[in-house]
């Protein structure tokens, strides 16, 4: 499932190639991926010119020169593919197609269609932006900022990290990897994380995200970057998906526990 590193990889790929591209037409094949404005989406985009492509949390954000923004949440299987033609051979589940003035097209392809496309007018964006928490790679994501939030929460720390209104962009894979690096068991209550552990956790989150970005993300099932390539971080995972295999640090078998309907992986010796 795409998290921050996968969205960042796609945004970095698309940014130089989409700048100043003008949308001339939109084909909506599956309306269920449209969050807003829903009907009318196809009429709201033509004429807009791309200023740049960035990221907020797990979402790819296409910013237009008029300061409107198209937020793309890739859900489980969403892909953004820029093609030199109106279509692309390997995109067989195109939900939305943006035709560009130069003959290229930006395809939103999504097999399972849990993804969401939302268009925000300039005045609507700040409210949406404010719903998302701290960016873990930004300067204001400090150990103190993290501790200020964890000490007020009694939820398991893994669940805390998945709350996009607290820290934006971290999902199950990278939350579990960061907790392993910090030596904190996923089931520990957030308010039981010490000051020193909050520092380790903050650093662990940043390190794992930066390493994943450097490896173009983790590929599970359907994730592809904007060039259609798989991510390279999967072999570097230390706990996620490694139940029963030896801990890379101490050799103890990695455990799996279902926590709020989602698997948590951890080393019972290294993580307390
Ligand atoms: Zn261990």
């Amino acid at each position: 499932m795409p998290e921050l590193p996968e969205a960042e990889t796609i945004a970095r790929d698309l940014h130089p190639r989409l700048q100043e591209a003008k949308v001339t037409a939109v084909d909506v094949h599956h309306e269920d991926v449209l969050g807003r404005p829903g009907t009318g989406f196809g009429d709201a985009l033509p004429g807009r010119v791309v200023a740049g492509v960035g990221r907020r949390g797990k979402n790819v954000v296409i910013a237009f020169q008029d300061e409107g923004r198209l937020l793309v949440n890739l859900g489980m299987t969403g892909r953004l593919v820029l093609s030199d033609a109106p279509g692309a051979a390997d995109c067989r589940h195109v939900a939305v197609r943006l035709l560009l003035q130069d003959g290229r097209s930006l395809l939103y392809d999504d097999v399972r269609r849990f993804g969401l496309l939302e268009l925000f007018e300039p005045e609507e964006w700040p409210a949406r932006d404010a719903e998302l928490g701290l960016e873990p790679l930004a300067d204001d994501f400090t150990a103190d900022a993290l501790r200020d939030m964890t000490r007020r929460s009694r939820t398991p720390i893994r669940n805390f990290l998945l709350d996009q209104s607290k820290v934006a962009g971290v999902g199950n894979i990278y939350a579990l990897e960061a907790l392993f690096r910090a030596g904190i068991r996923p089931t520990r209550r957030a308010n039981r994380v010490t000051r020193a552990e909050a520092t380790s956790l903050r650093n662990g989150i940043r390190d794992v995200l930066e390493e994943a970005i450097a490896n173009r993300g983790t590929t599970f099932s359907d994730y592809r970057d904007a060039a259609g390539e798989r991510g390279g971080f999967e072999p570097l995972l230390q706990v996620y998906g490694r139940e029963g295999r030896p801990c890379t640090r101490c050799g103890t078998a990695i455990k799996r526990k279902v926590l709020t309907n989602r698997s948590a992986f951890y080393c019972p010796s290294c993580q307390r």
Side-chain angles (χ1 to χ4, degrees):
M1 195 172 303
E3 300 183 21
L4 183 155
E6 293 75 34
E8 180 72 24
T9 299
I10 292 167
R12 288 184 187 182
D13 284 348
L14 290 178
H15 176 73
R17 300 164 66 204
L18 267 184
Q19 269 183 314
E20 301 192 15
K22 184 175 186 177
V23 180
T24 50
V26 177
D27 294 332
V28 177
H29 300 294
H30 295 289
E31 280 199 352
D32 51 359
V33 300
L34 302 179
R36 58 186 290 161
T39 47
F41 183 92
D43 297 328
L45 280 172
R48 297 199 197 223
V49 178
V50 176
V53 183
R55 177 192 58 75
R56 182 76 172 94
K58 301 177 188 177
N59 309 290
V60 177
V61 180
I62 299 172
F64 296 101
Q65 288 181 355
D66 66 2
E67 298 193 358
R69 283 173 174 83
L70 177 61
L71 184 143
V72 181
N73 183 308
L74 299 164
M76 290 183 71
T77 56
R79 299 162 58 196
L80 273 173
V81 177
L82 186 59
S83 171
D84 286 333
D90 64 333
C91 290
R92 286 175 294 128
H93 304 276
V94 175
V96 177
R97 176 170 71 161
L98 273 56
L99 292 158
L100 307 176
Q101 193 169 42
D102 57 18
R104 297 181 299 166
S105 62
L106 181 65
L107 308 169
Y108 180 70
D109 187 272
D110 195 343
V111 180
R112 299 186 64 180
R113 299 213 298 276
F114 289 117
L116 201 61
L117 274 59
E118 297 175 286
L119 179 65
F120 294 89
E121 297 302 332
E123 67 278 12
E124 296 169 333
W125 175 248
R128 180 69 180 95
D129 185 50
E131 289 172 8
L132 295 165
L134 293 178
E135 279 292 333
L137 299 180
D139 291 343
D140 59 358
F141 183 64
T142 60
D144 284 344
L146 179 60
R147 180 99 198 293
D148 279 347
M149 295 189 288
T150 55
R151 63 201 295 238
R152 285 183 260 123
S153 171
R154 294 165 56 85
T155 193
I157 186 68
R158 196 286 312 263
N159 293 7
F160 171 89
L161 291 175
L162 300 192
D163 181 348
Q164 300 297 300
S165 71
K166 305 287 199 305
V167 182
V170 178
N172 200 33
I173 298 172
Y174 299 116
L176 293 170
E177 292 296 314
L179 288 166
F180 173 74
R181 292 175 184 221
I184 304 168
R185 201 171 284 203
T187 48
R188 178 115 60 95
R189 284 186 182 182
N191 62 359
R192 304 292 289 272
V193 171
T194 67
R195 177 167 293 278
E197 286 172 334
T199 301
S200 300
L201 183 56
R202 178 263 189 192
N203 294 340
I205 291 168
R206 284 171 81 108
D207 290 349
V208 75
L209 293 174
E210 282 171 357
E211 288 167 28
I213 291 168
N215 285 280
R216 306 185 59 78
T218 302
T219 294
F220 281 91
S221 64
D222 298 279
Y223 163 75
R224 298 289 185 278
D225 64 25
E229 301 292 327
R230 298 169 67 90
F233 193 68
E234 189 174 347
L236 302 175
L237 296 174
Q238 293 182 285
V239 286
Y240 188 89
R242 299 192 70 246
E243 181 183 14
R245 293 166 66 189
C247 170
T248 53
R249 198 176 291 158
C250 76
T252 303
I254 297 297
K255 277 199 164 186
R256 182 178 79 97
K257 182 182 169 71
V258 177
L259 183 59
T260 324
N261 298 320
R262 302 189 66 186
S263 291
F265 298 91
Y266 62 95
C267 172
S269 300
C270 294
Q271 293 174 261
R272 298 287 171 180

